[in-house]
Amino acid sequence: AQSVTQPDIHITVSEGASLELRCNYSYGATPYLFWYVQSPGQGLQLLLKYFSGDTLVQGIKGFEAEFKRSQSSFNLRKPSVHWSDAAEYFCAVENTGGFKTIFGAGTRLFVKA
Amino acid sequence: DAGVTQSPTHLIKTRGQHVTLRCSPISGHKSVSWYQQVLGQGPQFIFQYYEKEERGRGNFPDRFSARQFPNYSSELNVNALLLGDSALYLCASSPLLGSEQYFGPGTRLTVT
C-alpha cells in the first residue's frame, strides 16, 4: 500500500539558514510526488511536483526537491529560509493512475529571527 | 482566473445531523477530489470524481457520499454526523487525472 512518512513533526530554523525537510514514500512503482505548503487555516499550495525526468525539481518560492529512487525519498530544500516560510509542509504521493493522493502527516516549520 | 471555491467557509452542526459541502473547480478542470483534514494531521483522501464518475474512494464509511454535476462542480454529503467528523474539508480540482491538483480554502466543520 502507498504511504508517506515525514519523520520530523516540527523543525526550527534560523532566518537565512538552509532548510531540508525529509520525506520517504512507499509505492510499488515510480509515483507522482508533490510538496505542498499550508499556512494556518488555509488550503494547500503546491510548491513543486515530480512526474518523471530530471530528479532535481525546482519549485516556487525558491524551493527545490530531489527524487532518490534508491532511498525512496523526496526531500525538500531551500538554501536560505525567510520568516514568511513558517508554515506546515506536506509531502504527497499519487499513483500513476491519477487518483487517491496520499499525504504525509506534515512538518511544521518554525523560523526564528 | 478564479481558483477553487468552497462553501460554506465555516459551519456548526449537531451530532446526528446531515451536512452538504460544495465545491466549484477551476474553469476547465474536470476532476474534483475531496479530503478531510483533522487538526494536526495531513489531509485524508475521501473521493475523486472525473467526468462525473467516481474514480477513487478512500477509507471512509458509507455516511460519506459525493457527486459531480454536469458543470463539474461537486457536493460532499455526510450523514449522521459524529463528533469525529469535525475537520477541515478540502476540495481540489485538476484538469485531468494524474495532473497537479489545486486546492480550495476548505470548509471548517464543527460537530457539537
Side-chain angles (χ1 to χ4, degrees):
Chain A
Q2 293 170 258
S3 66
V4 178
T5 301
Q6 294 181 246
D8 303 305
I9 298 173
H10 54 80
I11 284 181
T12 300
V13 175
S14 296
E15 191 169 18
S18 63
L19 169 70
E20 183 170 26
L21 302 182
R22 296 182 291 165
C23 173
N24 293 96
Y25 68 90
S26 173
Y27 184 64
T30 300
Y32 297 157
L33 296 162
F34 307 85
W35 275 99
Y36 290 88
V37 62
Q38 185 178 38
S39 297
Q42 302 297 311
L44 282 78
Q45 181 182 23
L46 179 68
L47 288 175
L48 46 80
K49 63 185 183 290
Y50 173 79
F51 284 176
S52 64
D54 193 346
T55 57
L56 185 62
V57 180
Q58 302 297 320
I60 63 171
K61 303 185 179 184
F63 286 93
E64 67 177 27
E66 186 172 11
F67 169 58
K68 292 185 177 180
R69 185 191 306 274
S70 62
Q71 299 176 19
S72 297
S73 68
F74 189 57
N75 294 349
L76 181 71
R77 300 193 294 250
K78 186 170 184 177
S80 178
V81 169
H82 187 262
W83 65 265
S84 61
D85 293 325
E88 185 106 28
Y89 290 81
F90 293 96
C91 180
V93 59
E94 182 178 298
N95 64 21
T96 50
F99 58 93
K100 194 171 183 179
T101 302
I102 304 298
F103 284 82
T107 297
R108 169 73 65 180
L109 174 64
F110 297 93
V111 180
K112 61 181 180 180
Chain B
D1 288 341
V4 177
T5 59
Q6 294 186 242
S7 62
T9 305
H10 299 86
L11 74 165
I12 300 173
K13 292 286 189 178
T14 304
R15 280 175 294 176
Q17 287 188 316
H18 163 89
V19 68
T20 297
L21 310 181
R22 295 177 175 83
C23 172
S24 292
I26 293 172
S27 177
H29 285 196
K30 299 181 178 181
S31 176
V32 170
S33 297
W34 287 96
Y35 296 84
Q36 180 196 65
Q37 186 178 21
V38 174
L39 195 62
Q41 298 182 18
Q44 298 293 314
F45 173 78
I46 309 176
F47 288 109
Q48 184 181 47
Y49 278 77
Y50 179 71
E51 287 283 18
K52 301 178 286 296
E53 292 188 6
E54 182 183 305
R55 296 302 183 104
R57 174 186 285 254
N59 188 25
F60 279 80
D62 292 342
R63 298 184 296 108
F64 289 77
S65 64
R67 55 180 175 169
Q68 187 176 34
F69 298 100
N71 66 353
Y72 302 110
S73 67
S74 178
E75 284 183 354
L76 175 69
N77 295 283
V78 186
N79 293 321
L81 285 167
L82 303 174
L83 294 179
D85 295 330
S86 296
L88 180 68
Y89 288 85
L90 296 165
C91 172
S93 77
S94 58
L96 300 168
L97 287 177
S99 57
E100 62 194 71
Q101 297 179 81
Y102 297 82
F103 282 80
T107 294
R108 174 72 63 187
L109 171 65
T110 301
V111 182
T112 62

mmCIF file of all heavy atoms in Angstrom, chain A residues 32 34 36 38 41-44 46 49 51 90 94 97-101 103-105, chain B residues 35 37 40-43 45 48 55-57 88 90 97-101 103-105:
data_model
loop_
_atom_site.group_PDB
_atom_site.id
_atom_site.type_symbol
_atom_site.label_atom_id
_atom_site.label_comp_id
_atom_site.label_asym_id
_atom_site.label_seq_id
_atom_site.Cartn_x
_atom_site.Cartn_y
_atom_site.Cartn_z
ATOM 1 N N TYR A 32 3.923 9.707 -8.645
ATOM 2 C CA TYR A 32 3.970 11.150 -8.758
ATOM 3 C C TYR A 32 4.188 11.681 -7.342
ATOM 4 O O TYR A 32 3.533 11.232 -6.400
ATOM 5 C CB TYR A 32 2.675 11.702 -9.319
ATOM 6 C CG TYR A 32 2.348 11.257 -10.720
ATOM 7 C CD1 TYR A 32 1.042 11.261 -11.183
ATOM 8 C CD2 TYR A 32 3.334 10.839 -11.600
ATOM 9 C CE1 TYR A 32 0.717 10.866 -12.478
ATOM 10 C CE2 TYR A 32 3.030 10.438 -12.893
ATOM 11 C CZ TYR A 32 1.728 10.452 -13.317
ATOM 12 O OH TYR A 32 1.411 10.060 -14.602
ATOM 13 N N PHE A 34 4.779 15.131 -4.663
ATOM 14 C CA PHE A 34 4.433 16.541 -4.513
ATOM 15 C C PHE A 34 4.880 17.041 -3.146
ATOM 16 O O PHE A 34 4.956 16.289 -2.182
ATOM 17 C CB PHE A 34 2.908 16.744 -4.601
ATOM 18 C CG PHE A 34 2.265 16.162 -5.829
ATOM 19 C CD1 PHE A 34 1.890 14.834 -5.865
ATOM 20 C CD2 PHE A 34 2.024 16.964 -6.934
ATOM 21 C CE1 PHE A 34 1.286 14.299 -7.005
ATOM 22 C CE2 PHE A 34 1.427 16.436 -8.066
ATOM 23 C CZ PHE A 34 1.053 15.104 -8.099
ATOM 24 N N TYR A 36 3.497 20.310 -0.733
ATOM 25 C CA TYR A 36 2.544 21.392 -0.564
ATOM 26 C C TYR A 36 2.892 22.164 0.704
ATOM 27 O O TYR A 36 3.462 21.613 1.651
ATOM 28 C CB TYR A 36 1.126 20.852 -0.402
ATOM 29 C CG TYR A 36 0.518 20.250 -1.644
ATOM 30 C CD1 TYR A 36 0.709 18.906 -1.947
ATOM 31 C CD2 TYR A 36 -0.270 21.013 -2.501
ATOM 32 C CE1 TYR A 36 0.135 18.343 -3.080
ATOM 33 C CE2 TYR A 36 -0.849 20.460 -3.631
ATOM 34 C CZ TYR A 36 -0.636 19.121 -3.911
ATOM 35 O OH TYR A 36 -1.201 18.573 -5.034
ATOM 36 N N GLN A 38 1.029 24.773 3.681
ATOM 37 C CA GLN A 38 -0.255 25.220 4.218
ATOM 38 C C GLN A 38 -0.010 26.216 5.344
ATOM 39 O O GLN A 38 0.607 25.868 6.350
ATOM 40 C CB GLN A 38 -1.062 24.030 4.734
ATOM 41 C CG GLN A 38 -2.464 24.386 5.201
ATOM 42 C CD GLN A 38 -3.238 23.154 5.653
ATOM 43 O OE1 GLN A 38 -2.693 22.244 6.260
ATOM 44 N NE2 GLN A 38 -4.541 23.119 5.339
ATOM 45 N N GLY A 41 -4.988 27.756 8.865
ATOM 46 C CA GLY A 41 -6.359 27.995 8.461
ATOM 47 C C GLY A 41 -6.577 28.107 6.967
ATOM 48 O O GLY A 41 -7.673 28.461 6.537
ATOM 49 N N GLN A 42 -5.559 27.785 6.197
ATOM 50 C CA GLN A 42 -5.650 27.949 4.748
ATOM 51 C C GLN A 42 -5.648 26.606 4.026
ATOM 52 O O GLN A 42 -5.378 25.566 4.626
ATOM 53 C CB GLN A 42 -4.466 28.787 4.246
ATOM 54 C CG GLN A 42 -4.364 30.157 4.865
ATOM 55 C CD GLN A 42 -5.559 31.021 4.546
ATOM 56 O OE1 GLN A 42 -5.969 31.134 3.398
ATOM 57 N NE2 GLN A 42 -6.138 31.615 5.573
ATOM 58 N N GLY A 43 -5.948 26.661 2.746
ATOM 59 C CA GLY A 43 -5.835 25.476 1.908
ATOM 60 C C GLY A 43 -4.377 25.198 1.592
ATOM 61 O O GLY A 43 -3.471 25.840 2.129
ATOM 62 N N LEU A 44 -4.135 24.252 0.721
ATOM 63 C CA LEU A 44 -2.783 23.850 0.385
ATOM 64 C C LEU A 44 -2.334 24.492 -0.923
ATOM 65 O O LEU A 44 -3.102 24.573 -1.877
ATOM 66 C CB LEU A 44 -2.699 22.331 0.225
ATOM 67 C CG LEU A 44 -2.644 21.512 1.511
ATOM 68 C CD1 LEU A 44 -4.014 21.392 2.140
ATOM 69 C CD2 LEU A 44 -2.072 20.141 1.242
ATOM 70 N N LEU A 46 0.589 24.228 -3.905
ATOM 71 C CA LEU A 46 1.601 23.353 -4.474
ATOM 72 C C LEU A 46 2.926 24.085 -4.586
ATOM 73 O O LEU A 46 2.991 25.168 -5.172
ATOM 74 C CB LEU A 46 1.150 22.873 -5.851
ATOM 75 C CG LEU A 46 2.123 21.965 -6.596
ATOM 76 C CD1 LEU A 46 2.236 20.607 -5.890
ATOM 77 C CD2 LEU A 46 1.680 21.758 -8.045
ATOM 78 N N LYS A 49 6.434 19.556 -7.984
ATOM 79 C CA LYS A 49 5.961 18.206 -8.287
ATOM 80 C C LYS A 49 7.026 17.470 -9.086
ATOM 81 O O LYS A 49 7.843 18.065 -9.781
ATOM 82 C CB LYS A 49 4.657 18.265 -9.084
ATOM 83 C CG LYS A 49 4.811 18.947 -10.447
ATOM 84 C CD LYS A 49 3.487 19.077 -11.140
ATOM 85 C CE LYS A 49 3.632 19.684 -12.536
ATOM 86 N NZ LYS A 49 4.011 21.104 -12.472
ATOM 87 N N PHE A 51 7.047 14.211 -11.749
ATOM 88 C CA PHE A 51 6.314 13.193 -12.503
ATOM 89 C C PHE A 51 7.293 12.223 -13.146
ATOM 90 O O PHE A 51 7.101 11.011 -13.114
ATOM 91 C CB PHE A 51 5.431 13.843 -13.579
ATOM 92 C CG PHE A 51 4.173 14.481 -13.043
ATOM 93 C CD1 PHE A 51 3.318 15.182 -13.887
ATOM 94 C CD2 PHE A 51 3.833 14.408 -11.702
ATOM 95 C CE1 PHE A 51 2.154 15.782 -13.398
ATOM 96 C CE2 PHE A 51 2.684 14.997 -11.200
ATOM 97 C CZ PHE A 51 1.836 15.682 -12.063
ATOM 98 N N PHE A 90 3.648 19.588 3.589
ATOM 99 C CA PHE A 90 3.165 18.227 3.376
ATOM 100 C C PHE A 90 3.782 17.634 2.119
ATOM 101 O O PHE A 90 3.776 18.262 1.055
ATOM 102 C CB PHE A 90 1.647 18.209 3.222
ATOM 103 C CG PHE A 90 0.895 18.586 4.464
ATOM 104 C CD1 PHE A 90 0.456 19.888 4.651
ATOM 105 C CD2 PHE A 90 0.630 17.641 5.446
ATOM 106 C CE1 PHE A 90 -0.237 20.241 5.796
ATOM 107 C CE2 PHE A 90 -0.059 17.986 6.599
ATOM 108 C CZ PHE A 90 -0.484 19.284 6.772
ATOM 109 N N GLU A 94 1.045 10.241 -5.334
ATOM 110 C CA GLU A 94 -0.148 9.887 -6.084
ATOM 111 C C GLU A 94 0.192 8.744 -7.017
ATOM 112 O O GLU A 94 1.255 8.757 -7.640
ATOM 113 C CB GLU A 94 -0.631 11.097 -6.886
ATOM 114 C CG GLU A 94 -1.899 10.882 -7.676
ATOM 115 C CD GLU A 94 -2.313 12.146 -8.399
ATOM 116 O OE1 GLU A 94 -2.592 13.146 -7.729
ATOM 117 O OE2 GLU A 94 -2.332 12.131 -9.644
ATOM 118 N N GLY A 97 -2.070 6.194 -11.810
ATOM 119 C CA GLY A 97 -3.406 6.202 -12.388
ATOM 120 C C GLY A 97 -4.083 7.537 -12.204
ATOM 121 O O GLY A 97 -5.097 7.824 -12.833
ATOM 122 N N GLY A 98 -3.530 8.328 -11.315
ATOM 123 C CA GLY A 98 -4.035 9.681 -11.173
ATOM 124 C C GLY A 98 -5.126 9.871 -10.150
ATOM 125 O O GLY A 98 -5.823 10.861 -10.170
ATOM 126 N N PHE A 99 -5.295 8.925 -9.243
ATOM 127 C CA PHE A 99 -6.284 9.146 -8.214
ATOM 128 C C PHE A 99 -5.725 8.701 -6.873
ATOM 129 O O PHE A 99 -4.736 7.998 -6.788
ATOM 130 C CB PHE A 99 -7.589 8.411 -8.521
ATOM 131 C CG PHE A 99 -7.438 6.924 -8.692
ATOM 132 C CD1 PHE A 99 -7.607 6.070 -7.622
ATOM 133 C CD2 PHE A 99 -7.149 6.382 -9.926
ATOM 134 C CE1 PHE A 99 -7.465 4.703 -7.778
ATOM 135 C CE2 PHE A 99 -7.004 5.022 -10.097
ATOM 136 C CZ PHE A 99 -7.166 4.175 -9.022
ATOM 137 N N LYS A 100 -6.379 9.110 -5.810
ATOM 138 C CA LYS A 100 -6.014 8.775 -4.445
ATOM 139 C C LYS A 100 -4.623 9.285 -4.087
ATOM 140 O O LYS A 100 -3.637 8.536 -4.066
ATOM 141 C CB LYS A 100 -6.085 7.283 -4.183
ATOM 142 C CG LYS A 100 -6.034 6.972 -2.686
ATOM 143 C CD LYS A 100 -6.311 5.515 -2.388
ATOM 144 C CE LYS A 100 -6.333 5.272 -0.895
ATOM 145 N NZ LYS A 100 -6.626 3.876 -0.555
ATOM 146 N N THR A 101 -4.529 10.560 -3.819
ATOM 147 C CA THR A 101 -3.296 11.149 -3.328
ATOM 148 C C THR A 101 -3.177 10.877 -1.840
ATOM 149 O O THR A 101 -4.120 11.101 -1.082
ATOM 150 C CB THR A 101 -3.291 12.665 -3.583
ATOM 151 O OG1 THR A 101 -3.445 12.905 -4.987
ATOM 152 C CG2 THR A 101 -1.982 13.274 -3.110
ATOM 153 N N PHE A 103 -1.158 11.780 1.628
ATOM 154 C CA PHE A 103 -0.348 12.824 2.239
ATOM 155 C C PHE A 103 0.382 12.298 3.470
ATOM 156 O O PHE A 103 -0.128 11.426 4.188
ATOM 157 C CB PHE A 103 -1.230 13.995 2.679
ATOM 158 C CG PHE A 103 -1.681 14.880 1.557
ATOM 159 C CD1 PHE A 103 -2.769 14.536 0.780
ATOM 160 C CD2 PHE A 103 -1.008 16.057 1.273
ATOM 161 C CE1 PHE A 103 -3.194 15.344 -0.263
ATOM 162 C CE2 PHE A 103 -1.429 16.881 0.240
ATOM 163 C CZ PHE A 103 -2.516 16.513 -0.528
ATOM 164 N N GLY A 104 1.554 12.875 3.721
ATOM 165 C CA GLY A 104 2.217 12.639 4.983
ATOM 166 C C GLY A 104 1.549 13.434 6.087
ATOM 167 O O GLY A 104 0.639 14.227 5.841
ATOM 168 N N ALA A 105 2.020 13.235 7.312
ATOM 169 C CA ALA A 105 1.421 13.900 8.466
ATOM 170 C C ALA A 105 1.831 15.357 8.575
ATOM 171 O O ALA A 105 1.239 16.107 9.348
ATOM 172 C CB ALA A 105 1.779 13.151 9.751
ATOM 173 N N TYR B 35 -10.984 15.891 0.452
ATOM 174 C CA TYR B 35 -10.088 15.445 1.508
ATOM 175 C C TYR B 35 -10.616 15.927 2.854
ATOM 176 O O TYR B 35 -11.211 16.999 2.960
ATOM 177 C CB TYR B 35 -8.680 16.017 1.321
ATOM 178 C CG TYR B 35 -7.978 15.549 0.071
ATOM 179 C CD1 TYR B 35 -8.200 16.182 -1.147
ATOM 180 C CD2 TYR B 35 -7.099 14.471 0.102
ATOM 181 C CE1 TYR B 35 -7.575 15.748 -2.299
ATOM 182 C CE2 TYR B 35 -6.464 14.035 -1.043
ATOM 183 C CZ TYR B 35 -6.707 14.676 -2.245
ATOM 184 O OH TYR B 35 -6.077 14.240 -3.385
ATOM 185 N N GLN B 37 -9.218 16.907 6.626
ATOM 186 C CA GLN B 37 -8.014 17.196 7.379
ATOM 187 C C GLN B 37 -8.378 17.482 8.826
ATOM 188 O O GLN B 37 -8.901 18.551 9.165
ATOM 189 C CB GLN B 37 -7.249 18.376 6.785
ATOM 190 C CG GLN B 37 -5.898 18.602 7.468
ATOM 191 C CD GLN B 37 -5.093 19.732 6.858
ATOM 192 O OE1 GLN B 37 -5.629 20.612 6.190
ATOM 193 N NE2 GLN B 37 -3.790 19.704 7.070
ATOM 194 N N GLY B 40 -4.009 18.936 13.071
ATOM 195 C CA GLY B 40 -2.715 18.340 13.387
ATOM 196 C C GLY B 40 -2.323 17.166 12.506
ATOM 197 O O GLY B 40 -1.275 16.549 12.737
ATOM 198 N N GLN B 41 -3.137 16.866 11.512
ATOM 199 C CA GLN B 41 -2.844 15.744 10.628
ATOM 200 C C GLN B 41 -2.819 16.196 9.168
ATOM 201 O O GLN B 41 -3.243 17.297 8.833
ATOM 202 C CB GLN B 41 -3.884 14.637 10.804
ATOM 203 C CG GLN B 41 -3.916 14.040 12.191
ATOM 204 C CD GLN B 41 -4.930 12.927 12.306
ATOM 205 O OE1 GLN B 41 -5.373 12.368 11.299
ATOM 206 N NE2 GLN B 41 -5.304 12.592 13.526
ATOM 207 N N GLY B 42 -2.301 15.312 8.304
ATOM 208 C CA GLY B 42 -2.340 15.585 6.883
ATOM 209 C C GLY B 42 -3.716 15.274 6.314
ATOM 210 O O GLY B 42 -4.520 14.570 6.921
ATOM 211 N N PRO B 43 -4.021 15.829 5.144
ATOM 212 C CA PRO B 43 -5.314 15.539 4.504
ATOM 213 C C PRO B 43 -5.466 14.051 4.201
ATOM 214 O O PRO B 43 -4.511 13.391 3.806
ATOM 215 C CB PRO B 43 -5.241 16.355 3.211
ATOM 216 C CG PRO B 43 -4.241 17.427 3.478
ATOM 217 C CD PRO B 43 -3.239 16.807 4.385
ATOM 218 N N PHE B 45 -7.606 11.348 1.903
ATOM 219 C CA PHE B 45 -8.396 11.261 0.680
ATOM 220 C C PHE B 45 -9.763 10.640 0.949
ATOM 221 O O PHE B 45 -9.867 9.585 1.587
ATOM 222 C CB PHE B 45 -7.621 10.415 -0.336
ATOM 223 C CG PHE B 45 -8.377 10.093 -1.592
ATOM 224 C CD1 PHE B 45 -8.525 11.035 -2.585
ATOM 225 C CD2 PHE B 45 -8.923 8.838 -1.768
ATOM 226 C CE1 PHE B 45 -9.210 10.728 -3.748
ATOM 227 C CE2 PHE B 45 -9.605 8.521 -2.928
ATOM 228 C CZ PHE B 45 -9.753 9.471 -3.924
ATOM 229 N N GLN B 48 -12.570 10.907 -5.332
ATOM 230 C CA GLN B 48 -12.212 11.626 -6.540
ATOM 231 C C GLN B 48 -13.264 11.366 -7.599
ATOM 232 O O GLN B 48 -13.686 10.226 -7.818
ATOM 233 C CB GLN B 48 -10.844 11.235 -7.087
ATOM 234 C CG GLN B 48 -10.474 12.089 -8.304
ATOM 235 C CD GLN B 48 -9.142 11.740 -8.904
ATOM 236 O OE1 GLN B 48 -8.846 10.578 -9.119
ATOM 237 N NE2 GLN B 48 -8.329 12.750 -9.180
ATOM 238 N N ARG B 55 -13.980 7.942 -9.402
ATOM 239 C CA ARG B 55 -12.779 7.256 -9.855
ATOM 240 C C ARG B 55 -11.940 6.731 -8.699
ATOM 241 O O ARG B 55 -11.027 5.944 -8.919
ATOM 242 C CB ARG B 55 -11.910 8.192 -10.695
ATOM 243 C CG ARG B 55 -12.568 8.627 -11.974
ATOM 244 C CD ARG B 55 -12.968 7.456 -12.865
ATOM 245 N NE ARG B 55 -13.538 7.863 -14.123
ATOM 246 C CZ ARG B 55 -12.882 7.809 -15.289
ATOM 247 N NH1 ARG B 55 -11.642 7.353 -15.317
ATOM 248 N NH2 ARG B 55 -13.473 8.203 -16.393
ATOM 249 N N GLY B 56 -12.225 7.202 -7.509
ATOM 250 C CA GLY B 56 -11.467 6.726 -6.363
ATOM 251 C C GLY B 56 -12.213 7.017 -5.082
ATOM 252 O O GLY B 56 -12.949 7.995 -4.992
ATOM 253 N N ARG B 57 -12.045 6.135 -4.103
ATOM 254 C CA ARG B 57 -12.706 6.286 -2.813
ATOM 255 C C ARG B 57 -11.721 5.906 -1.735
ATOM 256 O O ARG B 57 -11.049 4.880 -1.831
ATOM 257 C CB ARG B 57 -13.932 5.389 -2.757
ATOM 258 C CG ARG B 57 -14.632 5.336 -1.416
ATOM 259 C CD ARG B 57 -15.745 4.303 -1.444
ATOM 260 N NE ARG B 57 -16.887 4.820 -2.198
ATOM 261 C CZ ARG B 57 -18.020 5.238 -1.638
ATOM 262 N NH1 ARG B 57 -18.139 5.217 -0.322
ATOM 263 N NH2 ARG B 57 -19.005 5.660 -2.375
ATOM 264 N N LEU B 88 -11.361 20.113 8.763
ATOM 265 C CA LEU B 88 -11.340 20.988 7.597
ATOM 266 C C LEU B 88 -11.528 20.097 6.369
ATOM 267 O O LEU B 88 -10.780 19.140 6.178
ATOM 268 C CB LEU B 88 -9.999 21.727 7.511
ATOM 269 C CG LEU B 88 -9.802 22.694 6.341
ATOM 270 C CD1 LEU B 88 -10.729 23.906 6.483
ATOM 271 C CD2 LEU B 88 -8.348 23.149 6.252
ATOM 272 N N LEU B 90 -11.365 19.763 2.475
ATOM 273 C CA LEU B 90 -10.702 20.404 1.345
ATOM 274 C C LEU B 90 -11.171 19.808 0.032
ATOM 275 O O LEU B 90 -11.336 18.593 -0.085
ATOM 276 C CB LEU B 90 -9.183 20.237 1.454
ATOM 277 C CG LEU B 90 -8.519 20.911 2.647
ATOM 278 C CD1 LEU B 90 -7.115 20.371 2.856
ATOM 279 C CD2 LEU B 90 -8.469 22.418 2.444
ATOM 280 N N LEU B 97 -6.959 13.507 -14.905
ATOM 281 C CA LEU B 97 -6.438 12.560 -13.922
ATOM 282 C C LEU B 97 -4.921 12.541 -14.027
ATOM 283 O O LEU B 97 -4.369 12.564 -15.116
ATOM 284 C CB LEU B 97 -6.986 11.167 -14.199
ATOM 285 C CG LEU B 97 -8.465 10.927 -13.860
ATOM 286 C CD1 LEU B 97 -8.867 9.520 -14.273
ATOM 287 C CD2 LEU B 97 -8.716 11.139 -12.386
ATOM 288 N N GLY B 98 -4.261 12.523 -12.883
ATOM 289 C CA GLY B 98 -2.809 12.430 -12.879
ATOM 290 C C GLY B 98 -2.103 13.748 -13.041
ATOM 291 O O GLY B 98 -0.876 13.789 -13.078
ATOM 292 N N SER B 99 -2.827 14.835 -13.152
ATOM 293 C CA SER B 99 -2.188 16.150 -13.211
ATOM 294 C C SER B 99 -2.263 16.814 -11.830
ATOM 295 O O SER B 99 -2.964 16.334 -10.949
ATOM 296 C CB SER B 99 -2.835 17.025 -14.273
ATOM 297 O OG SER B 99 -4.217 17.161 -14.045
ATOM 298 N N GLU B 100 -1.537 17.905 -11.683
ATOM 299 C CA GLU B 100 -1.459 18.505 -10.355
ATOM 300 C C GLU B 100 -2.817 19.041 -9.918
ATOM 301 O O GLU B 100 -3.635 19.451 -10.722
ATOM 302 C CB GLU B 100 -0.431 19.621 -10.333
ATOM 303 C CG GLU B 100 -0.736 20.763 -11.264
ATOM 304 C CD GLU B 100 0.472 21.659 -11.437
ATOM 305 O OE1 GLU B 100 1.429 21.228 -12.091
ATOM 306 O OE2 GLU B 100 0.447 22.777 -10.909
ATOM 307 N N GLN B 101 -3.013 19.022 -8.597
ATOM 308 C CA GLN B 101 -4.268 19.468 -8.023
ATOM 309 C C GLN B 101 -4.125 20.871 -7.463
ATOM 310 O O GLN B 101 -3.080 21.249 -6.944
ATOM 311 C CB GLN B 101 -4.695 18.517 -6.900
ATOM 312 C CG GLN B 101 -4.964 17.097 -7.374
ATOM 313 C CD GLN B 101 -5.358 16.189 -6.244
ATOM 314 O OE1 GLN B 101 -6.504 16.178 -5.816
ATOM 315 N NE2 GLN B 101 -4.410 15.438 -5.738
ATOM 316 N N PHE B 103 -5.967 23.347 -4.687
ATOM 317 C CA PHE B 103 -6.843 23.222 -3.536
ATOM 318 C C PHE B 103 -7.623 24.500 -3.261
ATOM 319 O O PHE B 103 -7.105 25.616 -3.452
ATOM 320 C CB PHE B 103 -6.039 22.861 -2.287
ATOM 321 C CG PHE B 103 -5.645 21.416 -2.225
ATOM 322 C CD1 PHE B 103 -4.559 20.950 -2.953
ATOM 323 C CD2 PHE B 103 -6.373 20.521 -1.465
ATOM 324 C CE1 PHE B 103 -4.198 19.613 -2.906
ATOM 325 C CE2 PHE B 103 -6.022 19.182 -1.413
ATOM 326 C CZ PHE B 103 -4.936 18.731 -2.136
ATOM 327 N N GLY B 104 -8.832 24.309 -2.783
ATOM 328 C CA GLY B 104 -9.621 25.415 -2.281
ATOM 329 C C GLY B 104 -9.253 25.719 -0.846
ATOM 330 O O GLY B 104 -8.458 24.998 -0.232
ATOM 331 N N PRO B 105 -9.855 26.778 -0.269
ATOM 332 C CA PRO B 105 -9.518 27.184 1.096
ATOM 333 C C PRO B 105 -10.102 26.271 2.165
ATOM 334 O O PRO B 105 -9.685 26.322 3.319
ATOM 335 C CB PRO B 105 -10.117 28.582 1.206
ATOM 336 C CG PRO B 105 -11.245 28.567 0.232
ATOM 337 C CD PRO B 105 -10.799 27.686 -0.903
#
